[in-house]
PDB file of all heavy atoms in Angstrom:
ATOM      1  N   CYS A  63     106.893 110.982  99.669  1.00 96.00           N
ATOM      2  CA  CYS A  63     106.372 109.787 100.234  1.00 96.00           C
ATOM      3  C   CYS A  63     106.862 108.487  99.546  1.00 96.00           C
ATOM      4  O   CYS A  63     107.426 108.563  98.463  1.00 96.00           O
ATOM      5  CB  CYS A  63     104.831 109.683 100.031  1.00 96.00           C
ATOM      6  SG  CYS A  63     103.955 111.211 100.488  1.00 96.00           S
ATOM      7  N   HIS A  64     106.658 107.379 100.145  1.00 97.00           N
ATOM      8  CA  HIS A  64     106.888 106.042  99.443  1.00 97.00           C
ATOM      9  C   HIS A  64     105.702 105.192  99.676  1.00 97.00           C
ATOM     10  O   HIS A  64     104.843 105.416 100.529  1.00 97.00           O
ATOM     11  CB  HIS A  64     108.203 105.560  99.935  1.00 97.00           C
ATOM     12  CG  HIS A  64     108.462 105.390 101.426  1.00 97.00           C
ATOM     13  ND1 HIS A  64     109.387 106.066 102.065  1.00 97.00           N
ATOM     14  CD2 HIS A  64     107.928 104.557 102.190  1.00 97.00           C
ATOM     15  CE1 HIS A  64     109.359 105.729 103.279  1.00 97.00           C
ATOM     16  NE2 HIS A  64     108.493 104.814 103.512  1.00 97.00           N
ATOM     17  N   ASN A  65     105.879 104.019  99.091  1.00 95.00           N
ATOM     18  CA  ASN A  65     104.799 102.960  99.256  1.00 95.00           C
ATOM     19  C   ASN A  65     104.668 102.521 100.686  1.00 95.00           C
ATOM     20  O   ASN A  65     105.699 102.249 101.344  1.00 95.00           O
ATOM     21  CB  ASN A  65     105.271 101.714  98.347  1.00 95.00           C
ATOM     22  CG  ASN A  65     104.186 100.629  98.353  1.00 95.00           C
ATOM     23  OD1 ASN A  65     103.920  99.991  99.291  1.00 95.00           O
ATOM     24  ND2 ASN A  65     103.740 100.397  97.100  1.00 95.00           N
ATOM     25  N   MET A  66     103.516 102.514 101.234  1.00 96.00           N
ATOM     26  CA  MET A  66     103.243 102.259 102.618  1.00 96.00           C
ATOM     27  C   MET A  66     102.238 101.030 102.823  1.00 96.00           C
ATOM     28  O   MET A  66     101.549 100.865 103.802  1.00 96.00           O
ATOM     29  CB  MET A  66     102.612 103.505 103.298  1.00 96.00           C
ATOM     30  CG  MET A  66     103.452 104.664 103.258  1.00 96.00           C
ATOM     31  SD  MET A  66     104.859 104.508 104.489  1.00 96.00           S
ATOM     32  CE  MET A  66     104.068 104.779 105.971  1.00 96.00           C
ATOM     33  N   VAL A  67     102.210 100.196 101.729  1.00 94.00           N
ATOM     34  CA  VAL A  67     101.255  99.075 101.723  1.00 94.00           C
ATOM     35  C   VAL A  67     101.416  98.215 102.958  1.00 94.00           C
ATOM     36  O   VAL A  67     100.542  97.825 103.604  1.00 94.00           O
ATOM     37  CB  VAL A  67     101.295  98.299 100.446  1.00 94.00           C
ATOM     38  CG1 VAL A  67     100.530  96.981 100.523  1.00 94.00           C
ATOM     39  CG2 VAL A  67     100.750  99.139  99.287  1.00 94.00           C
ATOM     40  N   LEU A  68     102.721  97.851 103.212  1.00 93.00           N
ATOM     41  CA  LEU A  68     102.946  96.911 104.367  1.00 93.00           C
ATOM     42  C   LEU A  68     102.818  97.584 105.708  1.00 93.00           C
ATOM     43  O   LEU A  68     102.170  97.091 106.612  1.00 93.00           O
ATOM     44  CB  LEU A  68     104.354  96.353 104.260  1.00 93.00           C
ATOM     45  CG  LEU A  68     104.565  95.420 103.046  1.00 93.00           C
ATOM     46  CD1 LEU A  68     106.078  95.150 102.838  1.00 93.00           C
ATOM     47  CD2 LEU A  68     103.815  94.171 103.141  1.00 93.00           C
ATOM     48  N   ARG A  69     103.398  98.773 105.843  1.00 95.00           N
ATOM     49  CA  ARG A  69     103.292  99.565 107.012  1.00 95.00           C
ATOM     50  C   ARG A  69     101.848  99.746 107.569  1.00 95.00           C
ATOM     51  O   ARG A  69     101.480  99.582 108.623  1.00 95.00           O
ATOM     52  CB  ARG A  69     104.008 100.874 106.889  1.00 95.00           C
ATOM     53  CG  ARG A  69     103.803 101.902 107.923  1.00 95.00           C
ATOM     54  CD  ARG A  69     104.721 101.595 109.247  1.00 95.00           C
ATOM     55  NE  ARG A  69     106.109 101.540 108.887  1.00 95.00           N
ATOM     56  CZ  ARG A  69     107.042 101.200 109.677  1.00 95.00           C
ATOM     57  NH1 ARG A  69     106.772 100.849 110.885  1.00 95.00           N
ATOM     58  NH2 ARG A  69     108.392 101.251 109.396  1.00 95.00           N
ATOM     59  N   ASN A  70     101.056 100.235 106.555  1.00 95.00           N
ATOM     60  CA  ASN A  70      99.703 100.584 106.854  1.00 95.00           C
ATOM     61  C   ASN A  70      98.639  99.345 106.631  1.00 95.00           C
ATOM     62  O   ASN A  70      97.439  99.618 106.936  1.00 95.00           O
ATOM     63  CB  ASN A  70      99.141 101.773 106.038  1.00 95.00           C
ATOM     64  CG  ASN A  70      99.974 102.999 106.337  1.00 95.00           C
ATOM     65  OD1 ASN A  70     100.748 102.982 107.283  1.00 95.00           O
ATOM     66  ND2 ASN A  70      99.817 103.950 105.520  1.00 95.00           N
ATOM     67  N   ALA A  71      99.121  98.237 106.210  1.00 95.00           N
ATOM     68  CA  ALA A  71      98.151  97.168 105.736  1.00 95.00           C
ATOM     69  C   ALA A  71      97.062  97.679 104.900  1.00 95.00           C
ATOM     70  O   ALA A  71      95.922  97.554 105.163  1.00 95.00           O
ATOM     71  CB  ALA A  71      97.612  96.416 107.002  1.00 95.00           C
ATOM     72  N   ASP A  72      97.539  98.360 103.817  1.00 96.00           N
ATOM     73  CA  ASP A  72      96.546  99.062 103.018  1.00 96.00           C
ATOM     74  C   ASP A  72      96.954  98.998 101.599  1.00 96.00           C
ATOM     75  O   ASP A  72      97.994  99.502 101.078  1.00 96.00           O
ATOM     76  CB  ASP A  72      96.455 100.519 103.395  1.00 96.00           C
ATOM     77  CG  ASP A  72      95.604 101.438 102.470  1.00 96.00           C
ATOM     78  OD1 ASP A  72      95.040 100.861 101.646  1.00 96.00           O
ATOM     79  OD2 ASP A  72      95.460 102.681 102.778  1.00 96.00           O
ATOM     80  N   PRO A  73      96.286  98.094 100.765  1.00 95.00           N
ATOM     81  CA  PRO A  73      96.753  97.878  99.360  1.00 95.00           C
ATOM     82  C   PRO A  73      96.591  99.129  98.504  1.00 95.00           C
ATOM     83  O   PRO A  73      97.011  99.133  97.389  1.00 95.00           O
ATOM     84  CB  PRO A  73      95.735  96.825  98.965  1.00 95.00           C
ATOM     85  CG  PRO A  73      94.472  96.854  99.768  1.00 95.00           C
ATOM     86  CD  PRO A  73      95.055  97.452 101.165  1.00 95.00           C
ATOM     87  N   THR A  74      95.836 100.124  99.001  1.00 96.00           N
ATOM     88  CA  THR A  74      95.795 101.393  98.148  1.00 96.00           C
ATOM     89  C   THR A  74      96.894 102.387  98.529  1.00 96.00           C
ATOM     90  O   THR A  74      96.991 103.427  97.882  1.00 96.00           O
ATOM     91  CB  THR A  74      94.483 102.069  98.379  1.00 96.00           C
ATOM     92  OG1 THR A  74      94.364 102.725  99.652  1.00 96.00           O
ATOM     93  CG2 THR A  74      93.245 101.128  98.337  1.00 96.00           C
ATOM     94  N   ALA A  75      97.748 102.057  99.447  1.00 97.00           N
ATOM     95  CA  ALA A  75      98.781 102.961  99.897  1.00 97.00           C
ATOM     96  C   ALA A  75     100.055 102.941  98.999  1.00 97.00           C
ATOM     97  O   ALA A  75     101.158 102.936  99.458  1.00 97.00           O
ATOM     98  CB  ALA A  75      99.146 102.746 101.304  1.00 97.00           C
TER      99      ALA A  75
END
Side-chain angles (χ1 to χ4, degrees):
Chain A
C63 312
H64 54 247
N65 184 297
M66 297 288 283
V67 168
L68 294 171
R69 169 79 60 187
N70 297 349
D72 177 359
T74 74

